[in-house]
Amino acid sequence: MLAEHRAVAPLRVFLVVLFGILVMLQTFSLPGQFAHMAEESPDFAYLRWPMTAVSVFWVLCVQVVIVSTWKLLTLVEHDRIFSDVALRWVDAIVWAITAAWAVLVGVFLYVGFNASDPGLPLLLFLMVVGVAALGLLMVVMRALLRQATTLRTDMEAVI
């Protein structure tokens, strides 16, 4: 358990840095990028706001995962990871991944039906499969956490 506690502090530093970068992306970079694209390619200017909204939503989903991970790290520090509270934070991660995946499927379908080149739809399909695998992995991890929580509760009842 000592190794896990040593990993918590550096992980928190990386999570703070990542969260800060995502906030900058969400507020400055993405809206500015899509505004610039609308100016440079007036034919696609109608996509400026939908692309901005979708991108900001995906960043928000990642931020939910970061905050949930932070909360789970707090539970690890206090040796309370095997609790119902932890399951709620894992549920938040699963729901954030599910929401991001659902929007990604919508984007994939829109691009797939309107694309003239197979490159972008193929890349989006790869992302759909990857995010689905990540979401399913989190569902399995949640099931393992539930089993471990039940086992620990049973062991504490015996002792």
Side-chain angles (χ1 to χ4, degrees):
M1 193 69 166
L2 184 59
E4 289 89 357
H5 287 288
R6 274 196 241 156
V8 169
L11 181 54
R12 285 185 184 233
V13 169
F14 288 123
L15 290 175
V16 167
V17 170
L18 180 59
F19 195 89
I21 291 169
L22 290 173
V23 168
M24 287 182 6
L25 253 172
Q26 209 171 23
T27 54
F28 300 116
S29 184
L30 292 172
Q33 175 64 35
F34 294 125
H36 177 73
M37 284 174 53
E39 290 173 5
E40 293 294 314
S41 303
D43 294 346
F44 297 109
Y46 69 97
L47 291 174
R48 173 186 178 184
W49 292 112
M51 288 171 45
T52 302
V54 166
S55 299
V56 168
F57 177 74
W58 282 333
V59 171
L60 178 65
C61 290
V62 174
Q63 289 169 330
V64 168
V65 171
I66 290 170
V67 169
S68 299
T69 302
W70 184 281
K71 297 302 262 182
L72 289 168
L73 288 174
T74 301
L75 294 173
V76 167
E77 280 184 326
H78 298 299
D79 197 28
R80 295 187 51 228
I81 193 65
F82 299 112
S83 66
D84 289 334
V85 175
L87 291 170
R88 284 186 287 236
W89 288 110
V90 174
D91 283 342
I93 293 172
V94 169
W95 280 109
I97 292 171
T98 302
W101 179 82
V103 172
L104 182 59
V105 168
V107 170
F108 166 69
L109 291 174
Y110 177 80
V111 170
F113 285 119
N114 295 308
S116 57
D117 176 15
L120 185 56
L122 188 59
L123 178 63
L124 286 171
F125 180 71
L126 178 65
M127 291 173 63
V128 164
V129 171
V131 174
L134 179 63
L136 292 172
L137 177 64
M138 286 307 302
V139 169
V140 170
M141 297 301 287
R142 185 190 185 288
L144 291 173
L145 179 61
R146 178 172 290 291
Q147 288 177 355
T149 302
T150 302
L151 182 63
R152 186 169 186 174
T153 304
D154 291 347
M155 291 299 289
E156 288 173 353
V158 170
I159 296 175

